[in-house]
Amino acid sequence: VQLQASGGGLVQAGGSLRLSCAASGRTFSNYALGWFRQAPGKEREFVAAISVSGGSTYYADSVKGRFTISRDNAKSTVYLQMNSLKPEDTAVYYCAADSSLITIVTMTHGMAYWGEGTQVTVSS
């Protein structure tokens, strides 16, 4: 699976952005998907994950209630709607795919497929 993330940018605190990650190659609907982020000088961290069917979603406590992950299997795309953005959300955001949802939820490395990151900058 090849993953291409987009939608990042510069936004003021309190604003919103929607990230997209388009997939090509192997059957998109066979994979659980996730979003991760890495801020300068910090470790990569889990942000959100969604199951193959889309029926189950998981979020980091830091984004719960503000971010929403969704997927459109017909378009082979996963989204991350980010609302009420804070300066501490500033990071490079990455999408990932793996056959194991547990892997995506519990690990920050080792996923089968990664997309290139997209920069999100939130100004105060």
Side-chain angles (χ1 to χ4, degrees), residues 15-69:
S16 298
L17 282 174
R18 188 175 82 155
L19 305 184
S20 300
C21 179
S24 60
R26 294 180 181 266
T27 305
F28 175 83
S29 59
N30 288 345
Y31 295 92
L33 302 162
W35 287 96
F36 296 78
R37 67 187 182 186
Q38 188 165 16
K42 294 188 176 181
E43 296 289 321
R44 184 179 299 172
E45 64 175 356
F46 166 77
V47 174
I50 189 166
S51 62
V52 167
S53 68
S56 297
T57 57
Y58 300 86
Y59 298 93
D61 288 343
S62 59
V63 308
K64 204 170 291 183
R66 299 188 298 122
F67 290 10
T68 302
I69 189 171

Side-chain angles (χ1 to χ4, degrees), residues 9 15 22 40 42 53 59 62 65 69 88-89 94 96 101 103 117 120 122-123:
K42 294 188 176 181
S53 68
Y59 298 93
S62 59
I69 189 171
E88 51 263 44
D89 294 318
Y94 300 88
L101 177 62
T103 296
V120 172
V122 184
S123 63

Side-chain angles (χ1 to χ4, degrees), residues 58-117:
Y58 300 86
Y59 298 93
D61 288 343
S62 59
V63 308
K64 204 170 291 183
R66 299 188 298 122
F67 290 10
T68 302
I69 189 171
S70 61
R71 64 189 295 164
D72 185 336
N73 286 343
K75 295 182 177 179
S76 297
T77 302
V78 59
Y79 304 97
L80 185 68
Q81 178 67 43
M82 305 186 295
N83 298 329
S84 302
L85 283 161
K86 304 176 181 180
E88 51 263 44
D89 294 318
T90 295
V92 178
Y93 284 70
Y94 300 88
C95 54
D98 198 275
S99 59
S100 169
L101 177 62
I102 293 175
T103 296
I104 292 181
V105 174
T106 61
M107 300 177 66
T108 58
H109 294 79
M111 285 71 189
Y113 305 99
W114 286 94
E116 293 188 4

